[in-house]
Amino acid sequence: MIEFQNVSRVYKNQVRALDDVSFHIAPGEFVFLIGESGAGKSTLIKLLLREEVPNFGKVLYQGNNVASIRARRIPRHRQSMGVVFQDFRLLDDRTVFDNISFALEIFGYPNAQIKRKVADVLELVDLTRKAGSYPNQLSGGERQRVSIARAMVNNPALLIADEPTGNLDPDTSWEILRALRDINNTGTTILMATHASDIVNRMRKRVLELHSGHLVRDEEGGAYSVQA
Ligand code: ADP
């Protein structure tokens, strides 16, 4: 599903954000992307979303070279991935329902279909009863679950979560991890960038660790820190 082949990304200031990074992620995997601030995690995600292109090497998504996607196809490419951010990025003046249906409107679906798709994803994150609420009437965990529902409404094969629990307390973080695990159990691939060591240590999923742009660890069932 995702393949990085000797990928390097050097920014104009000569910072090597990624340096000769290679890995492969199969459909249905749950992968943690870890590394200190500045290690290259966001750059890796931007390369997948085609917000950046590599200077060397190739990024393949579902067999296609992401850098060769034509400009007019880039929106469709991005819609084939769901993305969740640390800061939720919800529209405060729209209800939960409208925040999610917004992501469908550009496709011109009939109303009945929009209603059904939104209802399905709200059920997936257990927020059916909050469809008419506004974001400021929700807890942080509920807001993040709305953003997960929005990311999932187009049925993406991949869900990218960039530090999704960064603004949440430990209990609420687990609420988010349960939602991500349920989504992964339906077959969606999950790539989650995180600093939450307790989550990585308890979930024991595959860990990709970056350090100064180098992939220094690719470990199945790994802990946050390499144990002695
Ligand atoms: P992380 O997400 O792990 O914190 P980033 O991918 O954001 O890491 O950053 C990796 C390195 O690239 C850092 O040294 C950062 O300062 C640098 N960097 C990131 N984006 C840019 C940019 N647009 N221009 C120049 N340098 C950048």
Side-chain angles (χ1 to χ4, degrees):
M1 125 136 330
I2 298 172
E3 192 170 352
F4 274 55
Q5 297 176 345
N6 308 101
V7 171
S8 295
R9 174 69 187 136
V10 187
Y11 287 113
K12 286 199 187 75
N13 54 4
Q14 298 305 310
V15 172
R16 247 171 209 278
L18 289 179
D19 194 354
D20 198 20
V21 169
S22 299
F23 63 88
H24 180 261
I25 296 177
E29 283 197 76
F30 192 128
V31 180
F32 286 120
L33 178 62
I34 70 169
E36 78 273 33
S37 203
K41 305 179 295 298
S42 305
T43 299
L44 189 153
I45 289 170
K46 285 179 182 162
L47 289 167
L48 275 171
L49 290 168
R50 179 60 196 274
E51 289 174 12
E52 295 282 351
V53 289
N55 302 82
F56 306 98
K58 262 189 202 166
V59 176
L60 302 177
Y61 178 64
Q62 294 185 319
N64 299 315
N65 184 347
V66 174
S68 336
I69 297 172
R70 285 159 199 244
R72 66 186 167 85
R73 295 242 168 231
I74 292 173
R76 182 176 297 265
H77 167 72
R78 292 186 185 144
Q79 278 142 19
S80 73
M81 307 173 174
V83 194
V84 171
F85 301 95
Q86 174 169 357
D87 57 2
F88 320 140
R89 304 198 186 177
L90 300 176
L91 302 167
D92 288 330
D93 58 346
R94 292 182 185 233
T95 62
V96 165
F97 183 98
D98 290 344
N99 264 280
I100 299 168
S101 66
F102 189 59
L104 288 172
E105 275 159 19
I106 38 169
F107 292 100
Y109 288 113
N111 272 344
Q113 207 174 339
I114 291 181
K115 274 191 182 149
R116 197 174 58 242
K117 281 174 182 281
V118 175
D120 285 350
V121 287
L122 280 175
E123 195 181 324
L124 181 70
V125 297
D126 195 20
L127 282 178
T128 303
R129 67 198 184 286
K130 301 283 186 183
S133 302
Y134 287 86
N136 65 8
Q137 299 171 315
L138 304 177
S139 69
E142 288 170 339
R143 284 185 213 188
Q144 191 56 297
R145 282 187 284 139
V146 174
S147 92
I148 292 172
R150 180 185 53 190
M152 290 305 297
V153 77
N154 284 311
N155 252 321
L158 170 69
L159 180 62
I160 298 170
D162 191 0
E163 201 71 51
T165 64
N167 284 342
L168 303 173
D169 62 49
D171 284 349
T172 311
S173 298
W174 283 108
E175 180 185 308
I176 299 306
L177 262 292
R178 275 194 295 276
L180 294 179
R181 192 192 51 200
D182 290 349
I183 288 166
N184 181 237
N185 284 340
T186 67
T188 309
T189 308
I190 310 255
L191 177 64
M192 172 171 157
T194 189
H195 287 112
S197 54
D198 50 332
I199 286 173
V200 175
N201 289 338
R202 268 177 60 188
M203 296 282 289
R204 290 294 167 148
K205 298 292 188 183
R206 179 175 170 193
V207 172
L208 294 178
E209 181 175 351
L210 291 171
H211 181 76
S212 304
H214 298 274
L215 184 64
V216 293
R217 182 157 61 113
D218 180 354
E219 185 183 11
E220 206 58 62
Y224 191 80
S225 308
V226 179
Q227 280 150 346

